[in-house]
Amino acid sequence: MIEVERLSFRYPGGALALKEVSVRFAPGKVSAVLGESGSGKTTFLLCIGRFLRFRKGTVRLDGADIRTLPEREFRRRVGIVFQHLYLFPHLTVLENMMLAPVHVLGRPGDEAEAEARKMLDRLDIGDLAQSYPGQVSGGQAQRVAIARALLLRPDYLFLDEPTSALDAKTADDFAAWLKGLKDTTNFVVVTHNLLFAESVATEGVYLSGGRVLDTGPVGRIAGHARAGKLVTRG
Amino acid sequence: MTFGRALAFLLRGFVLTLLVAAASLLLGFLVSIPVGIVLNLPGGVVRLVLRAVVDFIRGTPILIQLLFVYFGWPLIPVVGVSLSPIAASILALTVNSAAYMAEVVRSGLMSVSPGQRLAGRALGLRPWQVFRFVVWPQAFRIAMPPLMNSVVALIKDTALISVITVSELIANVRSVVSVTWNPAYYLVAAVLFFIVTFPLMKLAGRVERRMKERGFAND
Ligand SMILES: Nc1ncnc2c1ncn2[C@@H]1O[C@H](COP(=O)(O)OP(=O)(O)OP(=O)(O)O)[C@@H](O)[C@H]1O
Ligand SMILES: [Mg+2]
């Protein structure tokens, strides 16, 4: 369980990007974070992911304040895939995927490789193992970034705009695939893509101007987004 | 003096030139990495001092640096002892190449997108692992072509150590020419340099091309 309580965040010299945000992400569910551009979705992920230091509010991971958790333990339990992916361009797809299993989990190289290849096959990009990130398509890169994060087997995985480079069909397949994994990993998906949100998530959070306007069943939340004239993309 | 004997004499000098250059480059490169890292840090007195030293070294002739180290070293009160010409050469050339390479390392490190560090951290890598596996390999590939320029420049600059009495290639070629009255030996010496520097220049181009093939630019 991740419990966010009255989280506020201000960028240095900027406006208040998050205002007293309170949300909880229960295990066994896929949640969607919706909101228009600039509403604070990425900022919210960066705070929960300990990439931005917030002064007000608390974030608890299974009851423990995340600010007190040792870095490595926290990273193994909470994964994040950024909007811009940040695959490592000097490593092949396979090497990108093996880096953390080998150097963070201490897995032997051959095991890590076998597992990475299996994951790539499941994502239908097995033939890309030896390609470099600069040589694959946007949608393929997105799948590689997610696969790379999943190999650490995090309890929670936050995905920022995971469908931005996927076509409708691929996004559907991807939603089905994520749902299939929800018993081992809890996904929180930040997205503009309302159809994707509705097909993948059961719960939703609607952010607007840094505030939570509503939390609840994803259908209702997506309704707010539609009423808010959110442009449906992807 | 036969051509064969002259050539052997030149080669002996050239080996010394190369050894001094190699030692200086190796030491200079090792020094340039931490210096390059510090030059990127925000603020700090250490950074400002290093910045000034690096700029000063890059803005002054290497010949003066050589003379200063060789003749100035024994005058430093605490040290007192003099340096052998070879030691003075290696010291001066190390400092000089470190200054140039630190600048290259600094800009290489800076051109790695901050997102790369974030992604490394998000995967649970420790800060030194992020540097070792994510940031440094990318910075090094970017820095490789200008680093090779520094390497080539330093190898050529090593010719100057003859002024502090090291009998390397330039010193030897001058004595050969003074005996044989044949300036063609200067050309022989130039060719020797070129045999070493040319592959290094080509290597830089090859690394650059391979980076492009892998789509390195758009991560
Ligand atoms: N590094 C930063 N410095 C200052 N202000 C920032 C910074 N990053 C974001 N902001 C501001 O914080 C607010 C929230 O931005 P954020 O990126 O979280 O929005 P978002 O909901 O993720 O938008 P999008 O859907 O376009 O990705 C915006 O007003 C933005 O201008
Ligand atoms: Mg965003």
Side-chain angles (χ1 to χ4, degrees):
Chain A
M1 172 88 90
I2 289 187
E3 297 158 287
V4 180
E5 241 170 76
R6 307 185 66 159
L7 172 67
S8 296
F9 181 82
R10 183 190 296 278
Y11 282 100
L16 209 54
L18 293 175
K19 298 166 192 159
E20 308 243 319
V21 170
S22 297
V23 196
R24 48 181 54 192
F25 298 113
K29 293 199 171 117
V30 179
S31 310
V33 178
L34 304 179
E36 61 221 72
S37 187
S39 58
K41 305 182 299 294
T42 296
T43 307
F44 178 63
L45 287 200
L46 293 176
C47 286
I48 298 182
R50 299 215 310 198
F51 290 103
L52 290 175
R53 205 163 289 181
F54 50 92
R55 298 228 179 75
K56 294 209 185 102
T58 51
V59 177
R60 286 199 197 82
L61 174 60
D62 296 332
D65 189 328
I66 60 164
R67 284 171 296 191
T68 65
L69 292 173
E71 174 75 2
R72 200 158 253 194
E73 185 196 337
F74 178 76
R75 296 290 165 212
R76 287 179 60 164
R77 290 172 65 185
V78 179
I80 181 165
V81 176
F82 298 96
Q83 206 162 351
H84 298 291
L85 308 178
Y86 303 129
L87 294 176
F88 305 133
H90 60 298
L91 301 177
T92 63
V93 162
L94 190 66
E95 289 164 345
N96 261 275
M97 302 196 34
M98 290 168 59
L99 195 60
V102 169
H103 295 288
V104 176
L105 302 181
R107 307 286 304 276
D110 47 350
E111 275 178 34
E113 180 178 340
E115 232 170 284
R117 285 189 186 277
K118 210 162 73 190
M119 180 72 79
L120 287 173
D121 284 339
R122 272 208 309 213
L123 280 171
D124 230 16
I125 45 176
D127 49 337
L128 296 181
Q130 302 302 337
S131 305
Y132 286 86
Q135 300 168 325
V136 308
S137 78
Q140 291 165 337
Q142 218 142 24
R143 279 178 278 174
V144 172
I146 290 163
R148 182 175 76 173
L150 278 173
L151 283 174
L152 279 174
R153 302 181 191 289
D155 299 333
Y156 284 85
L157 184 58
F158 289 84
L159 306 171
D160 201 353
E161 294 290 353
T163 65
S164 60
L166 304 183
D167 56 35
K169 162 86 172 63
T170 322
D172 278 349
D173 293 347
F174 178 56
W177 182 74
L178 275 191
K179 279 195 286 195
L181 290 169
K182 74 176 192 305
D183 295 328
T184 46
T185 300
N186 305 296
F187 294 98
V188 177
V189 182
V190 166
T191 183
H192 279 99
N193 185 337
L194 299 180
L195 292 176
F196 174 72
E198 285 174 312
S199 75
V200 75
T202 52
E203 309 294 304
V205 181
Y206 188 64
L207 280 181
S208 176
R211 287 181 197 281
V212 174
L213 289 195
D214 193 13
T215 58
V218 73
R220 190 173 85 211
I221 301 303
H224 297 320
R226 287 198 175 90
K229 296 191 207 66
L230 187 74
V231 189
T232 314
R233 270 197 292 176
Chain B
M1 186 182 268
T2 64
F3 178 76
R5 278 191 51 206
L7 188 64
F9 184 55
L10 293 187
L11 278 174
R12 242 188 349 263
F14 193 45
V15 167
L16 185 60
T17 307
L18 288 182
L19 286 176
V20 169
S24 310
L25 283 168
L26 190 69
L27 292 170
F29 182 58
L30 291 178
V31 171
S32 76
I33 297 171
V35 173
I37 292 172
V38 172
L39 286 180
N40 263 345
L41 298 179
V45 180
V46 182
R47 187 189 70 94
L48 286 177
V49 170
L50 280 181
R51 179 79 267 163
V53 171
V54 165
D55 286 345
F56 187 76
I57 291 168
R58 298 196 318 148
T60 51
I62 193 165
L63 186 55
I64 296 179
Q65 294 162 15
L66 269 171
L67 293 168
F68 179 76
V69 169
Y70 183 54
F71 293 109
W73 188 265
L75 304 179
I76 301 174
V78 214
V79 184
V81 292
S82 58
L83 282 175
S84 74
I86 287 184
S89 302
I90 291 177
L91 179 61
L93 294 177
T94 293
V95 171
N96 184 273
S97 65
Y100 279 94
M101 292 198 279
E103 193 54 35
V104 173
V105 166
R106 183 198 65 79
S107 74
L109 288 172
M110 211 170 67
S111 61
V112 178
S113 121
Q116 294 286 314
R117 292 188 180 83
L118 285 191
R121 257 180 77 195
L123 289 173
L125 297 171
R126 299 193 187 287
W128 71 264
Q129 291 178 316
V130 172
F131 184 81
R132 162 79 181 76
F133 299 117
V134 177
V135 177
W136 177 250
Q138 295 184 51
F140 182 70
R141 280 169 173 77
I142 294 164
M144 178 76 179
L147 274 180
M148 275 303 145
N149 287 343
S150 303
V151 168
V152 168
L154 187 106
I155 292 174
K156 291 186 293 177
D157 285 342
T158 307
L160 292 169
I161 64 179
S162 59
V163 300
I164 56 172
T165 74
V166 180
S167 47
E168 47 64 79
L169 178 58
I170 303 305
N172 290 7
V173 76
R174 292 180 72 180
S175 46
V176 167
V177 171
S178 74
V179 172
T180 60
W181 290 94
N182 186 355
Y185 281 107
Y186 289 129
L187 187 61
V188 174
V191 168
L192 287 179
F193 270 102
F194 190 65
I195 288 170
V196 173
T197 54
F198 183 69
L200 291 172
M201 294 190 278
K202 285 291 137 191
L203 184 67
R206 250 209 1 229
V207 170
E208 234 168 341
R209 264 201 310 285
R210 211 175 55 200
M211 272 163 50
K212 284 218 184 75
E213 277 161 25
R214 291 178 179 181
F216 195 90
N218 52 339
D219 70 49

